[in-house]
Amino acid sequence: MLRPDLPTRAGFDSDHPLAMGAVGRDGPAISHLGDLAALLPKEASVPVVIASDATGPWILAMLAAWAERSPEGASALQGALCNDAIRICQGPASPAWSAEAALDLAADTLSWSRRALPQMRGARLPVAAPMDGDPVLPLAMALQSGLALLAATSRRERPQHLFAAAEGIEFVMPGDTLGDRAAGAYLAQLWHALLTERYGAGFAPREDLVLYSDEKGPGFAGISPPEIDVLRATLARREAEGTFTCDHGPLQIAPPSPATDTAGEAGPERNAALARWRQERDGNAVQKSLLALREAAKRGINVMGPSVACAKAGVTTGEWAAVLAAALPARSRPVSHAQPMPPADLALAQARLQQAAQGLARPVTLLLVRPGLDGRPWIEHPVFRAAKDCGVDIRDPGARLSPATITQAVSRERPHVLIFCLASTQSAQMTTSILVDLQKAGFGSIPVLGFIASGEEWLGLEEFAGSMTLRNIGETTAPALLDDLANLIISRRSASN
C-alpha cells in the first residue's frame, strides 16, 4: 500500500509552511517523481495500491511516468487507486476544489487508466464496517460512491467508453467472513442491476467486482445482509439528499500511530534536496506542462495526460495541486445536517447565553480556528449547529491558513471566544505559534476553547494548561458547549472589570 504523508495527500510539498510538523509522520513524503522512484521496486509489474486522497491522480500520473522508463512500459503496471471522491472530500486531506470537481477528476482518472493502464483498477472503493450492527448504511455509501463516479464519467466520456470505465471500479469489504461474503454478494447483485437500469444492457456480471480484506476486524461477521429493497431505499434516500451528504455521525479524529509518529519536520537535507530538484529541472518545460494542465482543467478536458507530462517535467506535488486549485471551482461551504436541540434544552441554553451576553454590543461571536492541514469542516458538528440555533454568530475563515492569516482574521472579526480545532499533533504545534502571535498582537485577552478528540499523550497539551479550556469533541454535548461559552464570556467580563 502506497500511502504518503498528510502534506502529500493534501497537495503540499514538504517545505511548505503548512507542512510543518507533519512531514513523513504517517507515510513517506512524495514531492516529485524522484521521491516516488526511490520508493518503488525496479519492476513495473509489481502491483501497487495507491491511497493518496486528493493527490491520488497525481501519484498515479507519476507512477505512469516512472513505468514508461522501464522495459515493460506503463501497460505492465498492476494494482489499484483508492479513489472514493466522496470519502476523500470528507477526510482530513480533502481538496481545495469543489466536491463536484473532485468527482470529475476521479472520473478522468478512472477512464484514462482503463485506456493507458489496463491492468490498474482506477477506482477501489472501500466498504466501511457496520455501525451498531446495521449493514445497510456502509453498503449504501459504497454504492453511492460508485454510482456517482460512473455518472460523472458518463458526463465526460463517450457512451461506448462507459462500459470500460465500469470495469475499473471495484469494492473492498472490511473483512473476509461469511457475513462479508454474503453482503458482498448482495452489493454485486444490486450494482449490476442498477447499472443495467440506468445505462442499459451490456454490463456483464463480474466475479472480481468485490474484494475481501485480510485485515483483522469484525467486518460483517455475524451480521445478516439487508434485503435488497431496504438497501435500494436507503441508497435512493441518500442520492435524493445530495451526493455528498455526510451522516457518519460526530466528527471523529484519530491520533497518529505511535509506530509512525517519529518524524514530522522536513529536515535541512530534505529541503535542500527539494530546492536542488527545482533548480536543476528544465524551468521552461515545467511552465509549459503546468499551463497545459491549467487549460485542461479549466476547459473540462481529461487532466491525466497533462499530469503525466507534468511528472516527466519535474513538477512537484504542491505545484500540481496549486494549479488545479486555481483552475477548478472552489469548495463551497458545507450544509449541516445535524438535528436541532430539543426545545427544552434550547430554551435553557438560550437563557444562560442571554445572561452572559448582557451588555455586549453584538451577538456572541465565535471564530473557529483550524490550524494545520486538516481540511474537514468542523462547523458541521452538531454542537456548533446548536450554538447557531441559540443565536451565536459562528465565523469560520477556512482551513489551512497560516498563523499570520489567522491573526488577521482575529483582528477583523473581533470574536468574543476563539475555538481552536485540534485535529492532530501538527495542529497543536501550530496552535502554540498562533497563541504567541495573538499575544504579541494584543489579543491575548480573548478566551480560548480547544476541542480535541484524543488524549494528552500525543498532543502535548500541557503547553496549553493556562491558555485555553480543553474539551474532547467526541464527549462534548451541545448544552456543555453553550455552558462553556457562557462561563468564558462571564470570566472575560470579570477580568476586564
Side-chain angles (χ1 to χ4, degrees):
M1 175 74 76
L2 180 58
R3 182 171 177 80
D5 62 4
L6 178 60
T8 302
R9 302 196 313 271
F12 292 86
D13 292 327
S14 54
D15 59 352
H16 192 283
L18 280 177
M20 179 190 71
V23 177
R25 183 176 295 279
D26 57 351
I30 305 177
S31 293
H32 50 71
L33 185 57
D35 285 342
L36 180 65
L39 296 171
L40 296 172
K42 295 182 179 179
E43 299 81 13
S45 58
V46 175
V48 178
V49 176
I50 301 171
S52 191
D53 295 347
T55 55
W58 170 238
I59 301 297
L60 182 62
M62 286 198 291
L63 183 63
W66 167 82
E68 287 184 13
R69 301 175 178 178
S70 68
E72 301 97 328
S75 61
L77 279 176
Q78 301 178 39
L81 172 64
C82 299
N83 201 12
D84 187 337
I86 296 180
R87 179 171 292 198
I88 289 170
C89 285
Q90 296 166 349
S94 57
W97 44 90
S98 69
E100 292 75 15
L103 257 183
D104 288 343
L105 184 57
D108 282 357
T109 308
L110 174 64
S111 55
W112 175 84
S113 63
R114 295 308 296 162
R115 294 191 290 268
L117 311 172
Q119 298 191 70
M120 288 285 295
R121 297 288 189 186
R124 175 173 287 185
L125 308 177
V127 178
M131 294 180 288
D132 300 323
D134 179 12
V136 177
L137 182 58
L139 292 173
M141 289 167 54
L143 286 168
Q144 182 189 14
S145 292
L147 291 168
L149 178 54
L150 208 55
T153 304
S154 69
R155 294 193 301 267
R156 299 172 69 82
E157 288 286 341
R158 296 176 180 177
Q160 60 268 31
H161 293 157
L162 191 62
F163 296 102
E167 292 291 319
I169 297 176
E170 62 186 14
F171 298 89
V172 183
M173 300 298 294
D176 192 9
T177 66
L178 291 176
D180 289 283
R181 292 277 174 174
Y186 271 79
L187 184 150
Q189 178 184 347
L190 185 53
W191 172 256
H192 181 257
L194 291 168
L195 295 193
T196 302
E197 293 168 10
R198 298 185 183 192
Y199 301 105
F203 295 93
R206 287 171 45 197
E207 293 184 359
D208 61 348
L209 176 67
V210 181
L211 306 179
Y212 297 90
S213 173
D214 57 1
E215 296 183 5
K216 294 181 179 179
F220 282 70
I223 298 175
S224 301
E227 297 292 335
I228 290 290
D229 290 344
V230 175
L231 185 53
R232 269 184 179 273
T234 303
L235 174 62
R237 174 184 61 80
R238 289 183 58 83
E239 290 184 316
E241 289 175 347
T243 300
F244 295 93
T245 296
C246 175
D247 47 14
H248 293 285
L251 182 66
Q252 299 295 323
I253 305 164
S257 167
T260 59
D261 192 16
T262 57
E265 201 68 50
E269 293 184 2
R270 174 166 179 82
N271 286 343
L274 186 51
R276 285 195 303 271
W277 175 273
R278 296 191 183 105
Q279 184 176 11
E280 294 172 359
R281 64 191 182 178
D282 185 337
N284 289 331
V286 168
Q287 293 305 314
K288 288 180 180 178
S289 64
L290 287 173
L291 180 60
L293 175 66
R294 174 182 176 274
E295 289 303 305
K298 291 184 78 69
R299 295 170 57 188
I301 299 172
N302 195 306
V303 302
M304 288 305 296
S307 294
V308 174
C310 284
K312 293 178 180 178
V315 167
T316 68
T317 298
E319 293 166 341
W320 177 87
V323 165
L324 286 189
L328 295 173
R331 187 174 184 181
S332 59
R333 291 287 182 177
V335 177
S336 176
H337 295 274
Q339 295 297 318
M341 290 178 64
D345 292 343
L346 184 60
L348 289 174
Q350 284 177 323
R352 174 73 168 142
L353 271 181
Q354 287 173 356
Q355 179 185 6
Q358 286 182 358
L360 297 181
R362 58 195 175 105
V364 174
T365 302
L366 309 182
L367 184 69
L368 288 184
V369 180
R370 294 186 276 163
L373 286 171
D374 191 298
R376 284 173 287 188
W378 284 60
I379 201 168
E380 284 188 343
H381 196 280
V383 296
F384 297 126
R385 164 66 182 274
K388 293 180 71 174
D389 287 344
C390 291
V392 176
D393 184 4
I394 302 180
R395 304 186 181 183
D396 180 4
R400 298 171 182 160
L401 303 180
S402 68
T405 305
I406 290 173
T407 300
Q408 292 171 3
V410 174
S411 177
R412 181 178 62 253
E413 304 294 350
R414 300 281 176 164
H416 297 106
V417 176
L418 283 173
I419 294 185
F420 276 79
C421 305
L422 306 178
S424 64
T425 304
Q426 185 212 22
S427 61
Q429 292 172 346
M430 294 191 73
T431 294
T432 301
S433 174
I434 293 168
L435 290 175
V436 171
D437 290 347
L438 291 175
Q439 188 74 35
K440 292 179 179 178
F443 298 113
S445 62
I446 300 178
V448 180
L449 177 61
F451 270 131
I452 64 171
S454 299
E456 298 179 6
E457 69 278 4
W458 64 275
L459 281 176
L461 296 176
E462 62 276 358
E463 299 180 18
F464 305 126
S467 57
M468 70 171 65
T469 300
L470 292 170
R471 294 288 184 264
N472 187 317
I473 198 169
E475 300 173 357
T476 300
T477 63
L481 166 65
L482 297 169
D483 195 56
D484 275 336
L485 296 179
N487 289 333
L488 289 171
I489 293 170
I490 293 171
S491 297
R492 182 185 185 184
R493 181 186 294 118
S494 298
S496 62
N497 293 333

